[in-house]
Amino acid sequence: MTEPPLREPTFLVLTALAAEPQHGYAVLEDVARMTDGRVRLRAGTLYAALDRLRVDGLIEVDREEVVQSRLRRYYRLTGVGERRLAEETVRLRSQATIAERRLRSRQTEIGGAPA
Amino acid sequence: MTDRASVLEGWYRRLLRVYPAEHRRFYGPEMVGVLMHQAEPGRRFPSFAETADLLRAGLAARLRSMPVRQRGTGWRDAAAVVALLGAVVLLAVPARSLVFGARAHWQFGDPMHGFGLDGGLLLDVAVRAVAWLTVVVALLAGARRTAVVLGAGAVLVELAAVAVWLPEQSLRPFWMSEVLTAALITVPLLFAARRTRPVTAVLGRRGAALAVTGVLVAVAAAGADRWWILPPQVLGLITVPDAVVLVAVVLVLWSLRSLGRRTVERVAVLLAPIAAALVAHALAEVETMVPAEPITPGALLGLASVLVGVPLAAFAVALVVLHVTESYTFVVARRVDGNPE
């Protein structure tokens, strides 16, 4: 059965964790950095995504630390999460390729030069 | 920590109460950390956007954690059981009429003869009984998806059985309302149970056979007043048919003994609207049997809203009772574990 497409916050959280295990706040910063500040996740949205991903087995807890008397829980991508992110990346790329091809032919038709 | 920061943290902790306790226990400390880290220095209260985000995500988490949305919590097994019970009731009701009708037909001739509809009533109940019989057979054979399709077909048969007698029998939708309600509840349950274990695996073969027999006997005995006007009593306490109904109900309950407590509770919740439909119908039938007033559109609407509203209300109440009971059990269990919230 084909999985439904990932929502953008979920995709971005998985991408953030693909590099290395990270704690919640680091994921927020990473997502903002990856998107040039376009996506600034809030705590509620972040933890909704983390919870769903953890329940579905796409991520798991890596370790816990206490820094300045605050709990920091690090999450890492699981094998399932890695496969899911790879599938989603292929899907997005193929859609982007189609869109790109159509835009290019459109520009040729109307006489514009491809960028 | 400064005063401002502790005030802000207090606000965040209060806002996090919108999340289910389980979620709060796991993510709460971590979320407070992230929220405090994100907060601009000097802030005393959460921003509007932050508050809205937490409320939205918290309520969504609560909705997700509602028992009906979870797998492996007994709901699907309960749906499989109640779908079987519902389908057997829906088979038994017209089958009972078929038996009584055939007997009357044989003794006194067809009551519909005067309307030029020889055998019309018998055909009506026979087709309905066969439609639900196919559903019951499919369920017992473990063909759950086929049962969904056959169930949908049986609902269409029930609706047709109302439609063909209109407008001459304007009260027919109400005579049959408990059947229609039970049918409209049973089919979604068949659908919900299409991917769970077959009901013969949930109840065991013997359990399923007991449940089917129990419902058939209960429905048959409950209609005994049609031909047995003054039945004898058992020890002057209860009539023989009523005693048979009781025994049959015990038989059905006995068939559920292999289920866990959680599943039995869910069976009760899912049965509540069907039981309420039967009671509402019995009460409404008394009302509509008073022939003095012509049936007005307002009366019909009122009756219809009672027949739809009562099962819905029964389901809602049963769900709330289950939720409260389970929350209480959960808190007690945690206290016993020495791990209070």
Side-chain angles (χ1 to χ4, degrees):
Chain A
M1 201 172 69
T2 324
E3 298 278 346
L6 293 176
R7 291 183 184 184
E8 193 181 18
T10 316
F11 178 78
L12 291 170
V13 169
L14 279 182
T15 309
L17 295 178
E20 58 177 340
Q22 301 202 63
H23 58 80
Y25 188 67
V27 171
L28 293 184
E29 300 253 277
D30 198 4
V31 166
R33 215 170 23 245
M34 278 191 289
T35 59
D36 293 328
R38 182 179 59 85
V39 178
R40 290 192 176 275
L41 295 180
R42 294 189 182 279
T45 311
L46 170 71
Y47 280 92
L50 287 175
D51 183 47
R52 189 160 285 198
L53 290 170
R54 195 175 66 84
V55 169
D56 290 347
L58 274 67
I59 63 168
E60 61 193 3
V61 174
D62 183 70
R63 63 185 192 278
E64 288 178 357
E65 285 175 3
V66 176
V67 179
Q68 293 172 343
S69 71
R70 297 240 182 251
L71 173 73
R72 270 189 185 174
R73 193 177 277 137
Y74 286 75
Y75 296 90
R76 66 163 174 257
L77 212 59
T78 61
V80 180
E82 200 179 317
R83 269 197 302 283
R84 188 77 180 82
L85 182 61
E87 283 167 12
E88 188 65 10
T89 310
V90 168
R91 191 188 68 80
L92 288 173
R93 186 182 298 126
S94 93
Q95 285 188 353
T97 309
I98 295 170
E100 207 175 18
R101 202 181 303 138
R102 291 192 178 179
L103 279 173
R104 209 176 292 139
S105 71
R106 191 183 160 87
Q107 280 166 345
T108 316
E109 270 173 31
I110 58 172
Chain B
M1 201 190 310
T2 63
D3 275 356
R4 279 169 190 268
S6 66
V7 169
L8 183 62
E9 183 162 342
W11 274 105
Y12 284 138
R13 287 189 186 281
R14 271 193 287 279
L15 275 172
L16 288 179
R17 285 195 200 146
V18 76
Y19 282 88
E22 195 70 13
H23 189 287
R24 219 164 44 229
R25 256 192 300 280
F26 192 80
Y27 296 108
E30 202 185 332
M31 285 181 80
V32 171
V34 169
L35 287 162
M36 292 300 289
H37 210 114
Q38 261 190 321
E40 303 140 29
R43 188 173 259 289
R44 285 184 64 144
F45 303 104
S47 70
F48 176 76
E50 228 166 29
T51 309
D53 179 60
L54 286 174
L55 291 179
R56 184 196 55 74
L59 290 174
R62 255 187 205 279
L63 267 180
R64 266 200 311 281
S65 73
M66 274 174 72
V68 279
R69 299 290 299 271
Q70 291 177 348
R71 289 182 182 189
T73 50
W75 280 105
R76 282 163 197 258
D77 279 355
V81 171
V82 178
L84 176 70
L85 298 179
V88 179
V89 167
L90 290 159
L91 153 67
V93 169
R96 180 180 67 187
S97 300
L98 182 62
V99 172
F100 292 143
R103 189 165 155 269
H105 201 274
W106 177 63
Q107 283 184 336
F108 313 110
D110 192 338
M112 298 305 283
H113 182 70
F115 300 96
L117 284 166
D118 274 320
L121 281 178
L122 288 185
L123 183 68
D124 174 315
V125 287
V127 172
R128 286 165 52 205
V130 169
W132 289 106
L133 178 65
T134 60
V135 178
V136 173
V137 169
L139 285 178
L140 293 178
R144 287 145 290 166
R145 290 175 193 216
T146 311
V148 177
V149 177
L150 291 170
V155 168
L156 293 180
V157 169
E158 297 286 4
L159 291 174
V162 172
V164 291
W165 299 103
L166 293 176
E168 286 81 11
Q169 294 187 0
S170 59
L171 280 180
R172 188 149 176 107
F174 300 103
W175 295 343
M176 282 182 58
S177 62
E178 93 278 38
V179 166
L180 294 175
T181 309
L184 292 173
I185 294 169
T186 300
V187 172
L189 293 178
L190 287 170
F191 184 77
R194 76 196 183 286
R195 282 193 195 145
T196 188
R197 302 180 288 162
V199 69
T200 43
V202 177
L203 290 176
R205 282 177 182 279
R206 196 179 296 174
L210 264 182
V212 171
T213 312
V215 173
L216 287 175
V217 171
V219 174
D225 58 345
R226 293 195 198 177
W227 51 276
W228 207 356
I229 295 170
L230 283 173
Q233 298 214 329
V234 181
L235 302 172
L237 292 171
I238 185 171
T239 65
V240 170
D242 286 349
V244 174
V245 172
L246 267 183
V247 171
V249 168
V250 170
L251 212 62
V252 174
L253 293 177
W254 180 250
S255 75
L256 306 180
R257 73 195 182 286
S258 63
L259 302 177
R261 190 186 142 194
R262 288 173 70 85
T263 312
V264 171
E265 285 169 352
R266 282 149 180 73
V267 167
V269 170
L270 295 177
L271 270 180
I274 298 181
L278 295 172
V279 173
H281 178 261
L283 296 176
E285 200 170 46
V286 173
E287 289 296 316
T288 54
M289 277 169 74
V290 180
E293 293 293 322
I295 302 295
T296 61
L300 288 184
L301 198 67
L303 214 49
S305 60
V306 165
L307 290 168
V308 175
V310 168
L312 279 178
F315 181 59
V317 169
L319 210 54
V320 168
V321 169
L322 179 75
H323 189 68
V324 169
T325 323
E326 291 200 331
S327 310
Y328 177 74
T329 315
F330 184 71
V331 169
V332 170
R334 289 192 63 81
R335 288 203 178 129
V336 169
D337 287 348
N339 191 10
E341 191 171 332

